[in-house]
Amino acid sequence: MAAQFGRRLRKGATTTAVAAVAVAALSASGVPGATLVTDSGDQQSTGTTPPPDDSAATGNSPYYTDLPPLNTPNKPGTSTNLPVTGSAESGIPASILAAYKKAEQTLDDTDAACRLPWQLLAAIGKVESGQARGGRVDANGTTFSPILGPVLDGRGFAMIKDTDNGAYDGDSTHDRAVGPMQFIPSTWATWGQDGNGDGRKDPNNIYDAALAAGRYLCAGSRDLSLAADLDRAVLSYNHSDAYLRTVRSWFDYYNRGTHEIPDGTGTVPPGLGGGTDHSSGSPSPSPSPSGGPKPKPKPEPSPDPTKPGGGGSTSPTPPTTPPAQTLAGVENAGTGTLTATAGDAFAERIKVRARNRLGGPLAKVSVTFTIAGDTDAAFDGGKNAVTLLTGADGTVTAPVLKAGEKAGKFTVRATATGRSLPPVTYTATVTARQADAIARTDDKALTAAPGTEFVDTVEVKATYKGALAAGVAVTATMITDAEEPAENDKGPYFKDADDKPVRTLTDLRTGADGILKLPKIYADDNTGTYKLRLTTEGGATIVIELKVEAPEAPAV
């Protein structure tokens, strides 16, 4: 909800002639046109109010808007090389600019499909509060005094009885819009965010408010790189052509470039410099022009508003989304057991369904799949999180999930992106590579004289269900010749990295061909026949004889 500034425009109870005058005034002030050029450069706003979508607020309502002269460094169509410094009017205070960009990055990480541009937050912040009263914020981004919209007592505005016991707006009788992005308390209760990580959700903090506004604009399945979706997002703040044109004019300007100015040096919009309150006087309606459209009746506000606007800029009327278009949650769409051998892809694909309040499917819902837990598993492409949209049948399937080398269990969560709805949780299990058979690749006798090394190398091949078993863990142990063998403390041995004798090796693994060549084996001074046991992951075992015998004496 934009605060009340020097120029006041009213929709709803007033005539459409007032809106026409507003648009004309906007043009006369030198504000650039409302054309949106996206990264692709080929999408433009229609300049008219599109029909509301499943997350747009649709009521016509009173609003106030800040339309100060826009002294652009370069007129539209000329050079886009804007100066590093310039007027306070066109610059954005440092903390305010940082908050917008931080919100954009957070949304890019958590709801990439929305494609929120920070310039849109800047445009709305300019209209709503003149960039937090020209950047009058402390080091944490909190305004030095609250920015409050008019009292919503029904006198010239909608009537909204208190919903927060005055906690945010200081009014325990009626609600007022609060903060640099002008959220009404009941909406803040739903959409409030902690954007600066201080553990609080404060509508008077620009970091918190900017992130909340970003999530609100990204509601549903909007892609803000599309002109139509961006229009709907702006109209969810205030369903008015004039408001849309005003925001878009600043959006277009900031897209061409801007510059940072110190906090507190920005232009303070009229009506905001001297205190926290805005006037709540009712504007005088203008008569309808002869033969023109008749004025629309003032809409009745809902007792439970959910729009961010409310005080003076926009109607607090909540979205009237039909149940069939309202997301109720996400659910498992028939995903089976998730198991895979280390290094292999999971045969089962994770699939979820978005459902509406009637239990039916809901399309174009953003779903984020996230891998959690102690695992090196990843989605195709090495990602541990992906965001996708549901299809016409309300379902979406995650990319192929590939197991790493780490055996054990981990979790995959599917959540409706940016929504506080319960996730769908899946448990995935990675089993170690296995072999059900192991055998020597030759039958050479393995012998050595005391104190020497065995000439021949022990080589074995592991298989699983007849196929070569690559990457299988193998344990080699010199064992005693007892009914319950244990590690032998004499006879043949291996050497560790410090050349010290060891009789058990656990860091062995078959190669891509299923073959394992053991390190050199040495004999101590004890003669006799000894046993070497090899055991694979999966339980395959082989016992190999090793003989240590003195060489025959030469004939005399």
Side-chain angles (χ1 to χ4, degrees):
M1 181 184 84
Q4 178 181 352
F5 301 116
R7 179 177 291 124
R8 182 169 66 183
L9 303 175
R10 180 179 179 181
K11 275 181 60 76
T14 62
T15 68
T16 55
V18 178
V21 171
V23 175
L26 184 150
S27 300
S29 67
V31 181
T35 299
L36 166 64
V37 180
T38 63
D39 291 339
S40 61
D42 60 359
Q43 296 188 53
Q44 297 182 340
S45 168
T46 62
T48 58
T49 306
D53 66 3
D54 60 347
S55 57
T58 62
N60 294 323
S61 60
Y63 70 91
Y64 289 77
T65 184
D66 170 23
L67 287 174
L70 178 59
N71 300 313
T72 58
N74 299 296
K75 293 182 180 180
T78 61
S79 170
T80 57
N81 297 320
L82 299 180
V84 176
T85 60
S87 69
E89 177 73 56
S90 58
I92 300 178
S95 292
I96 312 305
L97 182 60
Y100 296 150
K101 291 185 176 181
K102 188 174 189 295
E104 178 193 56
Q105 184 59 55
T106 300
L107 267 295
D108 187 55
D109 293 340
T110 60
D111 190 4
C114 176
R115 297 177 176 85
L116 171 78
W118 68 261
Q119 292 88 344
L120 180 59
L121 295 175
I124 291 175
K126 179 67 175 178
V127 174
E128 297 295 345
S129 67
Q131 309 298 20
R133 288 200 194 96
R136 271 68 173 177
V137 296
D138 64 19
N140 295 319
T142 302
T143 57
F144 290 121
S145 57
I147 301 175
L148 298 177
V151 177
L152 299 177
D153 57 4
R155 293 183 293 178
F157 306 96
M159 176 181 285
I160 305 180
K161 293 185 177 180
D162 175 65
T163 61
D164 65 332
N165 198 29
Y168 293 121
D169 55 15
D171 191 327
S172 59
T173 304
H174 296 93
D175 269 346
R176 307 174 71 172
V178 181
M181 302 304 279
Q182 290 288 276
F183 278 87
I184 54 176
S186 59
T187 306
W188 184 258
T190 299
W191 292 92
Q193 301 290 316
D194 177 13
N196 63 351
D198 65 356
R200 300 177 60 227
K201 298 178 181 180
D202 183 0
N204 295 297
N205 181 277
I206 186 58
Y207 290 94
D208 296 358
L211 182 56
R215 293 208 182 280
Y216 185 89
L217 293 166
C218 286
S221 55
R222 292 185 186 127
D223 177 353
L224 299 184
S225 68
L226 303 176
D229 277 6
L230 187 139
D231 283 355
R232 292 187 180 97
V234 173
L235 289 166
S236 72
Y237 246 79
N238 182 352
H239 200 78
S240 155
D241 272 346
Y243 182 82
L244 174 62
R245 290 175 186 274
T246 306
V247 169
R248 271 188 164 277
S249 69
W250 284 103
F251 177 67
D252 181 66
Y253 174 65
Y254 289 136
N255 266 321
R256 293 176 53 236
T258 186
H259 60 277
E260 179 183 298
I261 60 176
D263 287 350
T265 64
T267 300
V268 181
L272 280 181
T276 64
D277 250 354
H278 307 164
S279 168
S280 61
S282 176
S284 300
S286 299
S288 175
S290 176
K294 296 181 179 180
K296 297 180 181 179
K298 183 176 180 179
E300 291 296 326
S302 166
D304 183 24
T306 58
K307 291 175 58 180
S313 149
T314 178
S315 167
T317 307
T320 55
T321 307
Q325 297 177 357
T326 302
L327 178 65
V330 291
E331 60 190 11
N332 186 1
T335 307
T337 303
L338 295 171
T339 58
T341 300
D344 291 344
F346 284 78
E348 190 72 16
R349 298 276 294 276
I350 298 173
K351 186 176 182 180
V352 299
R353 177 186 297 105
R355 53 182 172 77
N356 58 31
R357 289 184 178 176
L358 300 178
L362 192 59
K364 293 187 68 179
V365 173
S366 178
V367 177
T368 299
F369 299 90
T370 305
I371 297 172
D374 185 16
T375 181
D376 53 356
F379 290 116
D380 195 22
K383 298 178 180 180
N384 61 8
V386 291
T387 299
L388 301 168
L389 295 179
T390 59
D393 62 352
T395 67
V396 60
T397 302
V400 172
L401 183 62
K402 187 175 181 180
E405 293 301 326
K406 184 174 293 185
K409 296 182 183 295
F410 64 94
T411 298
V412 180
R413 295 188 181 91
T415 59
T417 311
R419 305 294 188 92
S420 57
L421 295 171
V424 183
T425 302
Y426 303 87
T427 298
T429 303
V430 177
T431 58
R433 299 170 188 262
Q434 296 184 359
D436 55 14
I438 185 171
R440 289 188 64 189
T441 58
D442 59 53
D443 56 1
K444 294 179 181 179
L446 298 168
T447 61
T452 66
E453 66 181 56
F454 286 78
V455 176
D456 295 310
T457 302
V458 176
E459 182 179 280
V460 294
K461 178 174 67 175
T463 57
Y464 182 70
K465 295 182 178 180
L468 294 174
V472 174
V474 178
T475 299
T477 306
M478 302 294 179
I479 60 173
T480 60
D481 190 14
E483 286 189 21
E484 295 185 4
E487 181 183 275
N488 210 334
D489 60 357
K490 62 181 180 178
Y493 61 89
F494 303 105
K495 287 184 178 180
D496 63 14
D498 298 323
D499 281 341
K500 294 181 179 180
V502 293
R503 290 185 167 85
T504 298
L505 296 178
T506 59
D507 57 350
L508 305 173
R509 196 172 291 274
T510 61
D513 56 0
I515 301 295
L516 169 65
K517 290 184 179 180
L518 266 63
K520 287 184 178 181
I521 301 175
Y522 302 86
D524 63 9
D525 295 332
N526 296 287
T527 60
T529 300
Y530 297 90
K531 292 181 179 181
L532 166 63
R533 183 179 65 193
L534 303 179
T535 303
T536 71
E537 188 73 40
T541 301
I542 184 175
V543 177
I544 301 170
E545 282 193 352
L546 302 172
K547 288 186 178 181
V548 180
E549 52 189 13
E552 293 182 3
V556 293

